[in-house]
Amino acid sequence: MTTVTRAPAPVHTSPTVLSALRNPRILLREALAGLVVALALIPEAISFSIIAGVDPRVGLFSAFVMAVVISFVGGRAAMITGATGAIALVVAPVVKEHGLDYLIATVLLGGVFQLVLGGLGAAKLMRFVPRSVMVGFVNALAILIFTAQLPNIIGVDWFVWPITAAGIAIIVLLPQFTKAIPAPLVAIVVLTLVTVLASIAVPTVGDEGKLPDSLPTLFVPNVPLDLETLMIIAPYALAMALVGLLESLMTAKLVDEVTDTGSRKTREALGQGVANIASGLFGGMGGCAMIGQTMINVKASGARTRISTFLSGVFLLVLVVGLGDVVAIIPMAALVAVMVMVAVGTFDWHSITPSTLKRMPIGETIVMVLTVVIVVATDNLAIGVIIGVVAAMVVFARRVSHLTTVSRSIETLATGEQHALYTVEGELFFASSNDLTTQFDYVDDPELVVIDMTRSHVWDASTVAALDAIETKYHQHGKRVDIRGMNDASQAFHGRLAGTLGAGH
């Protein structure tokens, strides 16, 4: 006899913070990645501040505080957290109607809600997000990243186009020669030098808004601590908490797949709550995981540890406070080039190839496309994912419901007595059991009817109600029903509910 010993499956791990600190090559990679992300964070944080209706400092300080805090308390290494467009859209009405103090109060309460949701295990709900929704989420994300760059390249001076094209060329070609320095950073530096030395007038980071010239300080919102205030901010805080958690956990799952490593989703949910509370305490607008910047950090720059996340926040503060004049001259075209390549790299091109579409079940493709359409139409990743999950559930329920069969035969016993034998096979739940009652011949069947459920499983009350209805109809015709073969779980479920689901109960 030959014994075959299988080697254990390889376990992929990312470098730890300590190992990165001991390795100059990895540490340099993490530091440069953090610098690239910080440069990309500046215009986006300013833009999100404008969307929310607050001063650019509010978004920039939020990005700094959340990046630093999440690097210590988050569950997904190398993921970037800061002020985001989704959160800006949620909290914008609070600023417009009630002012900055109520916004900060909303951010603080939203962080508390995230702590509660994280403690209740909300992160475990990620297991119910199917692959088709995840692919739709990724593709929609890529489209949104790309379309967000269009205002910077449409209706502007023609010099922007060759500069953007040059940036894309650098990002594509440089890794063919060296990966020691992130290509996006080289593109930003080179294009900034070219535009400055050649005195080319193109839109710059400074045109996006005034950069802060002081450090963030503690901010206590001046709002009444009463029920009226709670009624005003609670709906927005809850929406912020849910949207923030969903985007952060989806991003964490995406990074898991990109890096082939795992992460602690519950810790990430709790970390997001802590980071938002910290952001509010320093006058920030709150936020969540930043998908585009995370992809810059992980895919474009190759970062894998919390060092890059921490340094992205530190570099951001140093750049906007200490080197604001230098940052202000960076051409937006350089950052557009970076984001365009992030969009191209993020999109799952394999999902739309003819061979994949031909093999993929039509239901899976519909769910993927629906997720993309909803996200792009609403500009909200959370709404698209929720609708996509619901659609996937409907497709799954419909598919499983068609796997249930009922076959009938007439058997004659040794005594000469006949009985009808119905064999039920498949999973019985609301979608498959609703028409179960129509599969029986109540008039022509003999006095004894046997229902064999050895190859089926009872999942819900709809099935129990259907079985009750079948028994009732046979009894009305003076016939007996014998249900046999239920497994233990089905027997316990059926026994607890049988006879209690009628109108009189």
Side-chain angles (χ1 to χ4, degrees):
M1 179 176 178
T2 303
T3 302
V4 178
T5 303
R6 294 185 178 181
V11 178
H12 300 277
T13 58
S14 293
T16 64
V17 172
L18 288 178
S19 64
L21 290 174
R22 297 190 185 108
N23 188 318
R25 182 180 60 82
I26 296 178
L27 183 58
L28 177 63
R29 182 187 68 193
E30 299 292 314
L32 293 176
L35 179 57
V36 174
V37 170
L39 291 170
L41 275 172
I42 295 171
E44 293 229 349
I46 295 173
S47 299
F48 298 148
S49 299
I50 295 172
I51 292 174
V54 296
D55 188 274
R57 295 190 307 169
V58 177
L60 289 166
F61 286 162
S62 185
F64 156 67
V65 172
M66 296 194 74
V68 170
V69 172
I70 206 69
S71 66
F72 290 97
V73 300
R76 172 68 257 180
M79 193 165 76
I80 304 299
T81 292
T84 61
I87 299 300
L89 290 171
V90 170
V91 300
V94 181
V95 182
K96 183 178 180 180
E97 297 175 17
H98 304 283
L100 180 62
D101 288 282
Y102 278 84
L103 165 65
I104 302 305
T106 300
V107 172
L108 292 171
L109 183 59
V112 172
F113 280 154
Q114 288 182 329
L115 289 177
V116 173
L117 291 169
L120 292 176
K124 295 178 181 178
L125 295 177
M126 285 303 298
R127 71 183 68 177
F128 296 106
V129 178
R131 181 186 179 279
S132 55
V133 175
M134 191 66 190
V135 172
F137 167 83
V138 169
N139 290 346
L141 161 65
I143 294 172
L144 288 181
I145 292 174
F146 178 79
T147 56
Q149 312 312 311
L150 295 181
N152 294 311
I153 57 177
I154 295 178
V156 296
D157 193 288
W158 71 271
F159 278 118
V160 169
W161 303 335
I163 293 173
T164 303
I168 292 174
I170 293 173
I171 296 171
V172 172
L173 298 176
L174 184 62
Q176 308 299 322
F177 301 96
T178 179
K179 295 183 180 179
I181 302 176
L185 179 58
V186 175
I188 292 171
V189 172
V190 169
L191 295 179
T192 300
L193 290 174
V194 169
T195 55
V196 171
L197 295 177
S199 299
I200 300 174
V202 292
T204 64
V205 171
D207 297 330
E208 297 294 304
K210 187 177 184 301
L211 300 177
D213 54 8
S214 62
L215 297 176
T217 57
L218 285 175
F219 185 97
V220 179
N222 183 23
V223 297
L225 299 178
D226 54 24
L227 183 60
E228 182 180 355
T229 299
L230 182 62
M231 295 297 290
I232 292 173
I233 68 174
Y236 297 103
L238 181 59
M240 171 188 165
L242 293 173
V243 170
L245 281 185
L246 183 56
E247 289 211 23
S248 298
L249 295 175
M250 289 290 287
T251 304
K253 186 175 180 180
L254 176 60
V255 177
D256 289 350
E257 295 182 2
V258 170
T259 62
D260 200 18
T261 59
S263 61
R264 298 163 60 182
K265 304 300 186 297
T266 296
R267 177 177 169 180
E268 183 60 40
L270 295 173
Q272 290 290 327
V274 173
N276 270 303
I277 291 174
S279 173
L281 291 175
F282 283 93
M285 59 181 278
C288 60
M290 305 187 73
I291 307 171
Q293 279 64 28
T294 297
M295 290 297 100
I296 291 176
N297 196 45
V298 174
K299 293 193 73 172
S301 303
R304 291 294 182 269
T305 75
R306 301 175 189 277
I307 296 175
S308 60
T309 307
F310 174 77
L311 290 179
S312 70
V314 174
F315 284 143
L316 173 65
L317 187 64
V318 172
L319 288 170
V320 299
V321 176
L323 300 173
D325 293 339
V326 175
V327 172
I329 64 176
I330 295 175
M332 286 299 298
L335 298 177
V336 168
V338 174
M339 298 307 293
V340 166
M341 291 311 299
V342 167
V344 172
T346 300
F347 196 92
D348 187 349
W349 298 100
H350 180 265
S351 67
I352 61 172
T353 60
S355 59
T356 300
L357 294 174
K358 184 177 180 180
R359 290 193 304 268
M360 192 67 64
I362 185 65
E364 301 279 334
T365 302
I366 290 174
V367 169
M368 186 268 285
V369 172
L370 179 64
T371 303
V372 172
V373 171
I374 297 298
V375 170
V376 173
T378 63
D379 200 24
N380 191 312
L381 291 162
I383 294 176
V385 169
I386 292 172
I387 293 178
V389 170
V390 172
M393 290 179 177
V394 172
V395 170
F396 174 76
R398 179 178 174 81
R399 183 182 303 157
V400 174
S401 67
H402 292 301
L403 299 179
T404 302
T405 61
V406 178
S407 58
R408 174 182 181 270
S409 62
I410 300 296
E411 295 188 348
T412 303
L413 303 179
T415 59
E417 181 184 9
Q418 288 187 327
H419 70 256
L421 174 63
Y422 287 88
T423 302
V424 182
E425 299 184 32
E427 306 302 314
L428 297 174
F429 64 111
F430 63 89
S432 59
S433 61
N434 279 339
D435 62 348
L436 188 63
T437 56
T438 65
Q439 306 296 312
F440 294 81
D441 191 348
Y442 302 100
V443 176
D444 296 330
D445 277 340
E447 292 186 1
L448 176 61
V449 177
V450 177
I451 302 177
D452 183 3
M453 302 187 64
T454 305
R455 299 179 181 177
S456 62
H457 189 97
V458 176
W459 286 106
D460 64 0
S462 295
T463 303
V464 177
L467 292 174
D468 283 354
I470 292 169
E471 289 189 82
T472 299
K473 286 188 177 184
Y474 273 117
H475 289 162
Q476 290 173 348
H477 288 81
K479 301 173 182 179
R480 295 181 292 114
V481 176
D482 182 12
I483 299 178
R484 303 174 181 174
M486 282 190 183
N487 57 44
D488 291 342
S490 297
Q491 181 66 50
F493 191 84
H494 180 264
R496 186 167 66 252
L497 295 179
T500 68
L501 301 176
H505 295 276

